[in-house]
Amino acid sequence: MMALSVIRTVLRRNLFLPSVRMVSWEEKQYWLQMSKTQDVYPKQTHNKTDHFSEFGPLLSPAVFKTGHVKDNFTGRDSDGGGQTWGDNSEIAAPPLDQIAAESVSSSLSNSAAGELLPTTSYLGVSLLNPSRPNTTHVDMIHPADIFKIGHIRNPSIPSVSKVLAATKSEESKAALARWEKEKIAVLGLEGFKQLKADTFACGHTLHDILETYMQTKQLPKASDVPDSVSKRHLVSISQTVRQFDRPLLLESAVIHPECNYHGIVDCVAMVGDTLALVDWKTSEKVKNNSAALFDNPLQVAAYMGAINRDERYNRLGNLTKGAVVVVYNSGYPAMVHMFNTQQMEMYWEQWCHRLQMFHDMT
């Protein structure tokens, strides 16, 4: 009878207790380290107006020692989604309230396009330049100096970011508006403005760190990084960035002469043994598949199409591979999402639809 009572108690508790969350190796190491230096359960002193607290605890670089962070790059030309580096086996899927993936219109009004753009059809422009050879490895060309062409502002030419923002689905626009409303409710209007300013500053710091690393192969010391979020960005990229080598372009402006848009490309370099156009992104939430990247692959495709047509980059030939690198605000190891030529062609077609939609609207 005693044994039966114990079994009943266990079953009753299992039915009503919530499921246990999976804990990664890195998180275990973090809490072990914290337990040695301070109270793991300190008194609640969280201030809702301190928006940096939303990025999670500051992780020590020692948590991500070489040998514990796996580089599981498993092929580049598969039929699946973008491949990643990093051990994703214990990563939870993005929450359900995350912004839905962008919907792309499959049909456009030819008559409206004809009225606004009588001589231009963006849907017929190809990703690759037929007058250039395809470049898949840096050894195929003879790079001189690294491309760093400055951007000259021209209000008549829209940016890639502006086009994507203007053509988001109504669902995504509504989700973004809800997010802003929630942040303002917690931080106040001035606090929200400061959050955006701080986020922009952290992104600028990260790009500076990565640009310096690509040229010198040196990362700064954590003590030299100005703020706590940027320190965690440094931890996040500390291992993954070592897969990048031989840059051909860093923070350089591009213009598509036929489609009439511009952008600034973060990087073109060797990623492992593949030459790729690289875009650096930061995130609070885990993005462990291509669907979670939303418009990021379209942005890479837009940059690739422009660089393949911009005469200033003729000696680069045709770039055919892309990469989105997600750097985490929590310090979790950055992930590299690689996209092959077939995938880039697909995203280019989607980008052309969005570009056509933008011009039909204006």
Side-chain angles (χ1 to χ4, degrees):
M1 292 294 294
M2 184 67 175
L4 183 59
S5 176
V6 170
I7 292 174
R8 287 174 178 172
T9 301
V10 171
L11 289 175
R12 188 179 301 111
R13 289 181 177 178
N14 285 341
L15 286 174
F16 294 101
L17 285 176
S19 58
V20 178
R21 178 175 65 87
M22 292 293 293
V23 179
S24 68
W25 183 91
E26 289 81 5
E27 186 173 346
K28 293 175 185 176
Q29 293 300 308
Y30 168 74
W31 287 115
L32 178 62
Q33 180 185 14
M34 289 286 287
S35 68
K36 296 177 181 178
T37 58
Q38 66 183 64
D39 183 7
V40 178
Y41 303 100
K43 294 180 180 179
Q44 180 62 270
T45 59
H46 174 67
N47 183 354
K48 287 187 176 182
T49 62
D50 180 12
H51 51 262
F52 275 148
S53 64
E54 72 185 37
F55 295 120
L58 178 62
L59 304 184
S60 167
V63 173
F64 304 112
K65 293 181 180 179
T66 305
H68 295 297
V69 179
K70 300 179 182 179
D71 292 335
N72 296 333
F73 187 63
T74 56
R76 296 175 178 79
D77 285 320
S78 65
D79 293 331
Q83 305 300 318
T84 63
W85 274 315
D87 185 358
N88 304 334
S89 58
E90 294 182 332
I91 299 175
L96 294 177
D97 62 350
Q98 190 166 343
I99 298 175
E102 300 298 332
S103 62
V104 179
S105 174
S106 60
S107 62
L108 298 169
S109 173
N110 293 328
S111 60
E115 293 172 4
L116 294 174
L117 301 169
T119 60
T120 304
S121 175
Y122 302 114
L123 304 181
V125 180
S126 63
L127 172 67
L128 305 181
N129 188 335
S131 66
R132 296 187 192 179
N134 292 352
T135 306
T136 58
H137 197 283
V138 70
D139 290 340
M140 297 177 63
I141 59 179
H142 301 285
D145 295 331
I146 297 173
F147 281 105
K148 290 185 179 182
I149 299 175
H151 170 61
I152 300 176
R153 188 173 180 276
N154 184 345
S156 66
I157 303 178
S159 68
V160 172
S161 299
K162 182 177 181 179
V163 171
L164 291 175
T167 57
K168 284 181 180 292
S169 66
E170 292 303 318
E171 293 80 3
S172 293
K173 290 178 181 178
L176 178 60
R178 286 196 302 271
W179 176 83
E180 291 183 348
K181 184 177 180 180
E182 291 170 0
K183 289 295 182 184
I184 292 173
V186 174
L187 305 173
L189 182 58
E190 291 304 315
F192 178 67
K193 290 179 179 179
Q194 187 61 47
L195 169 62
K196 294 203 295 184
D198 291 341
T199 301
F200 179 82
C202 289
H204 184 74
T205 298
L206 175 62
H207 278 72
D208 285 347
I209 291 173
L210 290 166
E211 184 175 349
T212 300
Y213 174 82
M214 293 303 296
Q215 296 177 93
T216 66
K217 290 295 181 181
Q218 297 294 323
L219 289 171
K221 296 179 181 178
S223 58
D224 296 332
V225 178
D227 61 85
S228 59
V229 177
S230 295
K231 292 179 191 294
R232 279 170 262 176
H233 287 166
L234 179 62
V235 173
S236 181
I237 65 172
S238 60
Q239 298 300 322
T240 305
V241 77
R242 304 187 190 284
Q243 307 296 327
F244 294 80
D245 194 20
R246 305 173 73 178
L248 300 178
L249 175 154
L250 294 170
E251 294 288 332
S252 194
V254 294
I255 298 176
H256 198 298
E258 298 175 38
C259 294
N260 197 43
Y261 65 84
H262 74 84
I264 298 179
V265 179
D266 287 344
C267 179
V268 173
M270 294 299 296
V271 186
D273 60 358
T274 299
L275 183 65
L277 188 152
V278 182
D279 200 43
W280 314 109
K281 297 295 182 185
T282 60
S283 177
E284 296 176 38
K285 300 176 181 178
V286 170
K287 296 180 181 291
N288 53 5
N289 56 62
S290 57
L293 299 175
F294 306 122
D295 280 343
N296 295 159
L298 274 68
Q299 189 172 11
V300 171
Y303 291 154
M304 185 176 294
I307 208 170
N308 286 344
R309 298 279 178 166
D310 193 325
E311 292 184 354
R312 296 173 293 181
Y313 301 98
N314 276 342
R315 65 181 174 88
L316 292 184
N318 275 318
L319 300 179
T320 62
K321 305 294 196 301
V324 175
V325 182
V326 183
V327 181
Y328 291 107
N329 298 333
S330 65
Y332 194 88
M335 295 180 185
V336 181
H337 298 261
M338 291 290 293
F339 299 98
N340 59 36
T341 306
Q342 183 179 4
Q343 291 165 327
M344 293 312 304
E345 292 273 11
M346 176 188 69
Y347 289 124
W348 169 254
E349 183 177 351
Q350 294 179 14
W351 159 253
C352 287
H353 276 278
R354 298 281 285 273
L355 183 62
Q356 191 76 57
M357 290 170 62
F358 176 82
H359 284 288
D360 289 348
M361 292 163 51
T362 56

